[in-house]
Amino acid sequence: MELIVLTAPEWLPDEAAAVTALFAQGLRRLHLRKSAASREELDAFIVALPAAVRGRIVLHDHFDLQPRWGLGGVHLNGRNPLPPTGCSGTVSRSCHSLEEVAAWRDRLDYLFLSPIFDSISKQGYRAGFAAEELSRAAREGIIDWRVMALGGVTPDNLAQVRAWGFGGAAVLGDLWQGYRGAETLSELLHRFGALQRAAKFAG
């Protein structure tokens, strides 16, 4: 199953080096989500990453940077509901209901559905779906390989994510919690390794 990493919403110490290390450890797709960042800040961050990984980065804001740097795609949201003209990469979208998934699944490359479990990064942000609701959605073909679970994903629940029919998961809080810069990089990579092993085991 696919494992996607979202950046923390705030800038973190030595973050470009941390992201580069995640790619070196096998990360296939990174969603660069910094809603408060300026175009110049995002541009500088992208420049700090190896050119070889830029095709695996998906932008949530300042979509004009996608063709400029040959990034992997753009992600639609409330701030940016439409893809830019001339986008050559993937187009994905955030969804918060099964109705949204059903409406958008066949029109875009993939979707995020959240919150699946209680959020780790957002205090008090509870799971939005009952287990049977997700199981029924999978049986009806609403949840399939194009839908990624987001919200509270950990190594311990990735098997359940797969059982509900998701094609993969997007991780945020479980990965970045505790990261404080270069001195905690090894812990970050250890957490990512645990997620990778659980995703591989889940199939």
Side-chain angles (χ1 to χ4, degrees), residues 96 114-115 117-128 150-152:
H96 302 287
S114 67
F117 303 103
D118 292 352
S119 175
I120 298 169
S121 60
K122 296 180 180 179
Q123 195 70 28
Y125 196 47
R126 302 296 182 186
L150 171 64

Side-chain angles (χ1 to χ4, degrees), residues 8-200:
E10 69 281 3
W11 293 110
L12 302 174
D14 307 304
E15 189 168 2
V19 166
T20 299
L22 289 171
F23 277 121
Q25 190 167 310
L27 174 63
R28 294 180 58 192
R29 196 188 311 257
L30 175 85
H31 274 239
L32 181 50
R33 184 177 70 173
K34 304 280 188 185
S35 60
S38 68
R39 183 186 186 280
E40 291 71 26
E41 287 174 317
L42 286 183
D43 190 73
F45 183 77
I46 293 165
V47 169
L49 300 175
V53 307
R54 291 174 186 161
R56 292 185 269 168
I57 297 171
V58 176
L59 278 178
H60 284 230
D61 294 280
H62 302 292
F63 287 167
D64 62 302
L65 294 174
Q66 189 272 325
R68 172 179 170 84
W69 294 113
L71 304 181
V74 298
H75 186 81
L76 309 182
N77 49 52
R79 299 183 304 279
N80 304 289
L82 296 172
T85 302
C87 176
S88 59
T90 62
V91 180
S92 52
R93 186 182 192 275
S94 295
C95 296
H96 302 287
S97 72
L98 292 168
E99 290 75 20
E100 280 186 280
V101 171
W104 287 96
R105 189 194 56 225
D106 296 332
R107 300 159 61 183
L108 301 175
D109 293 292
Y110 60 96
L111 305 171
F112 288 172
L113 178 63
S114 67
I116 301 304
F117 303 103
D118 292 352
S119 175
I120 298 169
S121 60
K122 296 180 180 179
Q123 195 70 28
Y125 196 47
R126 302 296 182 186
F129 307 91
E132 176 52 37
E133 187 179 13
L134 295 173
S135 297
R136 184 171 62 252
R139 292 193 299 270
E140 294 173 354
I142 297 172
I143 293 175
D144 65 9
W145 62 272
R146 289 165 292 186
V147 185
M148 307 293 147
L150 171 64
V153 174
T154 71
D156 293 336
N157 57 33
L158 274 170
Q160 182 60 66
V161 167
R162 189 70 188 93
W164 280 326
F166 289 94
V171 297
L172 172 58
D174 184 73
L175 178 64
W176 293 106
Q177 63 175 338
Y179 175 74
R180 297 293 180 269
E183 69 275 11
T184 56
L185 179 58
S186 61
E187 298 169 25
L188 175 77
L189 296 179
H190 177 77
R191 287 192 294 273
F192 183 59
L195 286 160
Q196 287 177 302
R197 290 188 294 274
K200 184 177 181 179

